[in-house]
Short mmCIF file of all heavy atoms in Angstrom, two decimals:
data_model
loop_
_atom_site.label_atom_id
_atom_site.label_comp_id
_atom_site.label_asym_id
_atom_site.label_seq_id
_atom_site.Cartn_x
_atom_site.Cartn_y
_atom_site.Cartn_z
N PRO A 484 -7.21 -0.99 23.60
CA PRO A 484 -5.87 -1.19 24.20
C PRO A 484 -5.11 -2.34 23.59
O PRO A 484 -3.85 -2.31 23.48
CB PRO A 484 -6.16 -1.40 25.70
CG PRO A 484 -7.53 -0.91 25.90
CD PRO A 484 -8.29 -1.12 24.64
N THR A 485 -5.82 -3.41 23.23
CA THR A 485 -5.17 -4.54 22.61
C THR A 485 -4.48 -4.15 21.31
O THR A 485 -3.35 -4.54 21.04
CB THR A 485 -6.22 -5.64 22.30
OG1 THR A 485 -6.84 -6.06 23.54
CG2 THR A 485 -5.54 -6.86 21.70
N ALA A 486 -5.19 -3.43 20.47
CA ALA A 486 -4.62 -2.96 19.18
C ALA A 486 -3.42 -2.03 19.42
O ALA A 486 -2.43 -2.11 18.66
CB ALA A 486 -5.71 -2.27 18.36
N LYS A 487 -3.51 -1.21 20.42
CA LYS A 487 -2.42 -0.30 20.69
C LYS A 487 -1.19 -1.09 21.21
O LYS A 487 -0.05 -0.81 20.75
CB LYS A 487 -2.87 0.76 21.76
CG LYS A 487 -1.86 1.93 21.86
CD LYS A 487 -2.51 3.04 22.63
CE LYS A 487 -1.63 4.32 22.58
NZ LYS A 487 -2.26 5.48 23.32
N SER A 488 -1.41 -2.04 22.08
CA SER A 488 -0.32 -2.87 22.59
C SER A 488 0.35 -3.61 21.47
O SER A 488 1.56 -3.80 21.45
CB SER A 488 -0.85 -3.81 23.63
OG SER A 488 0.20 -4.68 24.08
N ALA A 489 -0.45 -4.09 20.51
CA ALA A 489 0.14 -4.86 19.35
C ALA A 489 0.70 -3.91 18.27
O ALA A 489 1.23 -4.42 17.29
CB ALA A 489 -1.00 -5.66 18.72
N GLN A 490 0.62 -2.59 18.50
CA GLN A 490 1.20 -1.59 17.59
C GLN A 490 0.60 -1.69 16.16
O GLN A 490 1.26 -1.54 15.16
CB GLN A 490 2.71 -1.71 17.56
CG GLN A 490 3.36 -1.54 18.94
CD GLN A 490 4.86 -1.66 18.93
OE1 GLN A 490 5.50 -1.32 17.91
NE2 GLN A 490 5.45 -2.13 20.02
N ASN A 491 -0.72 -1.94 16.14
CA ASN A 491 -1.43 -2.00 14.82
C ASN A 491 -2.30 -0.79 14.74
O ASN A 491 -3.41 -0.72 15.21
CB ASN A 491 -2.28 -3.29 14.80
CG ASN A 491 -2.83 -3.58 13.44
OD1 ASN A 491 -3.20 -2.62 12.74
ND2 ASN A 491 -2.79 -4.82 13.04
N ALA A 492 -1.72 0.24 14.06
CA ALA A 492 -2.42 1.51 13.95
C ALA A 492 -3.68 1.44 13.10
O ALA A 492 -4.69 2.12 13.38
CB ALA A 492 -1.46 2.57 13.38
N ALA A 493 -3.65 0.63 12.05
CA ALA A 493 -4.83 0.49 11.22
C ALA A 493 -6.00 -0.10 11.95
O ALA A 493 -7.15 0.35 11.90
CB ALA A 493 -4.53 -0.31 9.96
N LEU A 494 -5.72 -1.13 12.71
CA LEU A 494 -6.73 -1.79 13.54
C LEU A 494 -7.20 -0.82 14.67
O LEU A 494 -8.45 -0.72 14.90
CB LEU A 494 -6.18 -3.06 14.17
CG LEU A 494 -7.06 -3.84 15.14
CD1 LEU A 494 -8.37 -4.30 14.45
CD2 LEU A 494 -6.29 -5.03 15.69
N LEU A 495 -6.29 -0.18 15.30
CA LEU A 495 -6.60 0.78 16.35
C LEU A 495 -7.55 1.88 15.88
O LEU A 495 -8.58 2.18 16.48
CB LEU A 495 -5.33 1.35 16.96
CG LEU A 495 -5.46 2.49 17.98
CD1 LEU A 495 -6.26 2.05 19.18
CD2 LEU A 495 -4.04 2.98 18.36
N ALA A 496 -7.18 2.48 14.70
CA ALA A 496 -8.01 3.54 14.18
C ALA A 496 -9.40 3.09 13.78
O ALA A 496 -10.40 3.79 14.03
CB ALA A 496 -7.28 4.19 12.98
N THR A 497 -9.47 1.90 13.24
CA THR A 497 -10.77 1.33 12.82
C THR A 497 -11.68 1.15 14.01
O THR A 497 -12.85 1.53 14.02
CB THR A 497 -10.58 0.00 12.11
OG1 THR A 497 -9.81 0.24 10.92
CG2 THR A 497 -11.91 -0.57 11.68
N LEU A 498 -11.15 0.56 15.13
CA LEU A 498 -11.92 0.36 16.31
C LEU A 498 -12.41 1.72 16.87
O LEU A 498 -13.55 1.90 17.32
CB LEU A 498 -11.07 -0.36 17.37
CG LEU A 498 -10.77 -1.83 17.06
CD1 LEU A 498 -9.69 -2.37 17.97
CD2 LEU A 498 -12.02 -2.72 17.11
N GLN A 499 -11.48 2.70 16.91
CA GLN A 499 -11.85 4.04 17.41
C GLN A 499 -12.93 4.69 16.56
O GLN A 499 -13.84 5.31 17.09
CB GLN A 499 -10.59 4.91 17.49
CG GLN A 499 -9.60 4.54 18.55
CD GLN A 499 -8.40 5.44 18.54
OE1 GLN A 499 -7.80 5.69 17.50
NE2 GLN A 499 -8.05 6.03 19.71
#
Side-chain angles (χ1 to χ4, degrees):
T485 302
K487 194 167 188 178
S488 176
Q490 301 181 30
N491 191 321
L494 177 60
L495 173 59
T497 299
L498 293 166
Q499 289 180 310

